[in-house]
Amino acid sequence: MSLLNAESTAFRAALEVVRAVEPRVADAIGAELTDQRASLKLIASENYASPAVLLAMGNWLSDKYAEGTVGRRFYAGCRNVDTVEALAAEHARELFGAAHAYVQPHSGIDANLVAYWAILADRVEAPALKRAQARQLNDLTEADWFELRRELGNQRMLGMSLDSGGHLTHGFRPNISGKMFDQRSYGADPETGLIDYPAVREAAREFRPLILVAGYSAYPRKVNFRIMREIADEVGATFMVDMAHFAGLVAGKVFTGDFDPVPHAHIVTTTTHKSLRGPRGGMVLCQPELADQVDRGCPMVLGGPLPQLMAAKAVALAEARRPDFQEYAQRVVDNARALAEGLVRRGVRLVTGGTDNHLALLDVDGFGLTGRQAEQALLDSGIVTNRNSIPRDPNGAWYTSGIRVGTPALTTRGFGPEQMDETAGLIHTVLSQTRPGTSKARYQLDPAVADRVAKQAAELLADFPLYAGIDLG
Ligand SMILES: *Cc1c(COP(=O)(O)O)cnc(C)c1O
């Protein structure tokens, strides 16, 4: 059987087995493939994992409990889980040149919590914490525990502000990190949209954080991690990078030198499902001195590891070590530039004026629209994006004035710069034809325009079939 036939056979058979129990679930899985195939997906955080990655997730590895780490489990019978976890960690270390890799986190947020715990355990001076670490729990009095809680819960974190592209988990109130930590943020320069490194240095000198966090979900430029590490060293902070969005560009050797976080940070966290194109999940890479604390992630912070996900991570990381992944990563960036240039040429304002990673941030205020209106009008026209705050956003965090677009998914589909330029044309058509309505959510767009754009989007997609080897019949 050829590999392509094998893919169709595998997924058809899987759905048949599911259908025998709950046909509505089988139908929803099938319908999701149809929907994904039909969508011009510009969501910067999404991608399409390979059939090998998808299949590695759906099996009896899921049946195993495996708390602990490779070779040191709290459960018996973990030899196959040990195999997949060790392989995933080895691929991760080799791919990123990291001293240590922890592949159990279930998501990016979980990976950040593991990292925060590891840094606190490494750095907080409370004697009670040291005794708790040494498992001398019986020596601790209630007063010791009280002091420990107070110390752990009031440490300082400096992260990138939300409206400059930072992430909720970098110390913002809607996330537990914003309740545990005394947080301050550094921002991008409001005029240029670029990180203002001297301002970051000044904020760090004044605030003296325990943790300096870099990383973003909506910043369209490279970050100089060498400079950020210098700032962290100057104030004695642990330097953490959350590369959830751009891990694929690091893996694909597009971000090297000062722009590769791994040699500069004490600890790096990531998701595995965004530009890295693996299964949904998270991962922590760190320097040797943090490895023991990171490995305590489960059960300190996380629920039991998901062996089937670690298997899929091993497959995805093996894929990312192949030369064609480097070509993919370069195309992601080339495509983002083509999209950005196509938008700018048609008169769309971009935050920072362009991009040098996988995403761009459109300022739709110039069209008289909120992000919410623009997002819906684009969706009506078959173009899937998401709204996002921009620096000094006049419409706040809910309605926003920005639209975030990214190229990892369409690049996996096979789009090149020419198709990205056509996509820019479609986006511009929708934005320039949409009129604001009577509220920040309402808008008017001629349905004939929306239909015409949706048809053009569908024609573009038709040339680049998604999961071409899978025919569900
Ligand atoms: C997406 C993202 C996360 C969260 O990842 P989940 O897997 O959804 O938990 C964390 N940090 C950054 C910077 C992200 O972009």
Side-chain angles (χ1 to χ4, degrees):
M1 198 180 332
S2 80
L3 207 53
L4 289 189
N5 278 334
E7 289 173 7
S8 283
T9 307
F11 286 99
R12 278 191 202 193
L15 287 183
E16 199 177 306
V17 174
V18 173
R19 177 163 286 110
V21 181
E22 176 46 289
R24 289 170 295 184
V25 169
D27 288 346
I29 296 171
E32 182 61 24
L33 179 58
T34 308
D35 288 358
Q36 295 272 352
R37 282 176 168 162
S39 110
L40 193 76
K41 181 153 90 175
L42 287 160
I43 295 187
S45 52
E46 292 190 7
N47 211 329
Y48 305 107
S50 73
V53 168
L54 298 179
L55 288 167
M57 282 189 256
N59 57 68
W60 36 87
L61 283 171
S62 171
D63 298 336
K64 232 4 242 158
Y65 241 116
E67 274 182 40
T69 48
V70 173
R72 289 189 74 242
R73 304 287 185 186
F74 293 90
Y75 288 81
C78 293
R79 67 187 180 108
N80 301 308
V81 179
D82 281 356
T83 300
V84 297
E85 180 168 354
L87 273 171
E90 182 190 317
H91 282 313
R93 286 192 307 270
E94 294 289 328
L95 176 63
F96 291 107
H100 184 72
Y102 181 65
V103 297
Q104 292 186 9
H106 309 157
S107 72
I109 287 186
D110 293 14
N112 286 350
L113 285 176
V114 169
Y116 294 151
W117 167 255
I119 297 168
L120 288 171
D122 182 52
R123 297 284 311 279
V124 169
E125 290 296 336
L129 179 61
K130 299 300 164 205
R131 287 213 291 285
Q133 292 287 340
R135 299 188 206 280
Q136 298 162 338
L137 297 183
N138 292 335
D139 300 348
L140 292 172
T141 65
E142 274 310 310
D144 290 331
W145 284 109
F146 180 84
E147 189 236 15
L148 172 56
R149 286 193 295 271
R150 202 191 49 201
E151 287 292 316
L152 283 181
N154 213 15
Q155 297 291 332
R156 289 191 292 273
M157 171 183 290
L158 182 63
M160 190 165 179
S161 70
L162 283 181
D163 71 355
S164 301
H167 193 262
L168 282 184
T169 56
H170 302 173
F172 294 94
R173 291 288 151 80
N175 179 257
I176 190 172
S177 59
K179 300 180 171 79
M180 279 175 67
F181 288 99
D182 174 10
Q183 195 261 21
R184 247 188 245 177
S185 48
Y186 58 88
D189 179 294
E191 297 307 323
T192 62
L194 298 171
I195 292 178
D196 179 351
Y197 295 99
V200 178
R201 188 181 301 270
E202 207 174 305
R205 278 181 185 161
E206 192 191 312
F207 188 50
R208 306 208 70 87
L210 182 82
I211 309 177
L212 175 65
V213 187
Y216 54 79
S217 46
Y219 181 69
R221 296 293 180 174
K222 294 187 204 175
V223 176
N224 189 317
F225 299 114
R226 183 184 52 76
I227 297 178
M228 295 297 280
R229 171 61 186 262
E230 280 170 16
I231 295 171
D233 283 348
E234 194 185 315
V235 301
T238 298
F239 180 40
M240 167 171 151
V241 176
D242 178 352
M243 63 171 183
H245 252 262
F246 54 90
L249 305 184
V250 179
K253 312 283 182 253
V254 175
F255 285 180
T256 55
D258 291 356
F259 307 103
D260 175 355
V262 179
H264 300 292
H266 296 100
I267 189 161
V268 176
T269 59
T270 185
T271 61
T272 48
H273 50 276
K274 297 182 182 176
S275 56
L276 195 54
R277 208 163 66 182
R280 303 202 74 82
M283 206 161 64
V284 181
L285 309 173
C286 67
Q287 305 282 357
E289 59 273 19
L290 284 168
D292 283 349
Q293 299 298 348
V294 165
D295 280 350
R296 293 181 198 216
C298 168
M300 184 64 77
V301 175
L302 301 172
L306 307 172
Q308 76 282 22
L309 266 298
M310 295 195 286
K313 286 171 190 174
V315 173
L317 290 162
E319 288 175 349
R321 290 183 67 188
R322 299 195 310 214
D324 58 351
F325 192 86
Q326 296 188 11
E327 286 162 31
Y328 165 71
Q330 187 58 52
R331 267 190 296 125
V332 166
V333 173
D334 294 345
N335 279 345
R337 188 169 311 130
L339 180 64
E341 284 172 3
L343 288 165
V344 168
R345 204 176 63 245
R346 291 171 175 89
V348 181
R349 200 188 86 80
L350 300 183
V351 174
T352 78
T355 176
D356 40 41
N357 57 19
H358 63 296
L359 69 86
L361 198 56
L362 288 63
D363 177 351
V364 296
D365 199 39
F367 294 95
L369 300 173
T370 65
R372 172 84 192 253
Q373 292 162 336
E375 175 192 82
Q376 281 300 315
L378 288 165
L379 194 61
D380 293 346
S381 315
I383 301 170
V384 189
T385 64
N386 63 280
R387 66 185 187 277
N388 208 101
S389 302
I390 60 173
R392 287 200 294 205
D393 200 308
N395 287 311
W398 176 252
Y399 292 107
T400 81
S401 307
I403 286 288
R404 188 184 68 166
V405 293
T407 53
L410 288 176
T411 303
T412 297
R413 248 186 119 128
F415 273 42
E418 200 182 312
Q419 289 76 35
M420 295 318 307
D421 187 63
E422 282 186 56
T423 302
L426 299 180
I427 292 171
H428 176 259
T429 300
V430 174
L431 295 179
S432 58
Q433 302 281 320
T434 302
R435 297 282 165 263
T438 51
S439 78
K440 286 185 178 188
R442 294 183 189 208
Y443 59 94
Q444 290 154 0
L445 172 62
D446 181 353
V449 173
D451 285 351
R452 180 163 50 80
V453 171
K455 222 170 131 240
Q456 286 172 292
E459 280 165 16
L460 261 178
L461 291 173
D463 291 337
F464 300 92
L466 175 64
Y467 294 117
I470 300 172
D471 173 9
L472 294 181

